[in-house]
């Protein structure tokens, strides 16, 4: 577990979220909007989206 919490803004692009995951070596990102937790995105979620295209 890391000590630094890495989050992504709810308006961020999928590319931005993937970049954050890669830079910080995390598999999941909390999604924040207006300072509140609104969701969670994981590598599995991204793969599912990419495979459905």
């Amino acid at each position: 577990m890391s000590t630094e919490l890495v989050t992504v803004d709810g308006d961020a692009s999928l590319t931005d979220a993937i970049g954050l995951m890669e830079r910080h070596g995390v598999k999941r990102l909390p999604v924040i909007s207006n300072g509140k937790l609104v969701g969670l995105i994981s590598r599995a979620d991204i793969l599912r989206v990419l495979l459905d295209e």
Side-chain angles (χ1 to χ4, degrees), residues 5-52:
L5 181 60
V6 180
T7 64
V8 66
D9 188 74
D11 294 329
S13 70
L14 185 57
T15 303
D16 291 339
I18 293 169
L20 281 169
M21 289 176 162
E22 288 299 310
R23 271 194 307 281
H24 294 278
V26 296
K27 294 183 181 180
R28 292 169 201 84
L29 284 177
V31 180
I32 305 294
S33 183
N34 295 321
K36 296 188 184 224
L37 179 68
V38 295
L40 185 73
I41 186 169
S42 70
R43 287 186 182 189
D45 296 328
I46 294 168
L47 287 173
R48 250 185 250 108
V49 167
L50 294 174
L51 290 173
D52 283 344

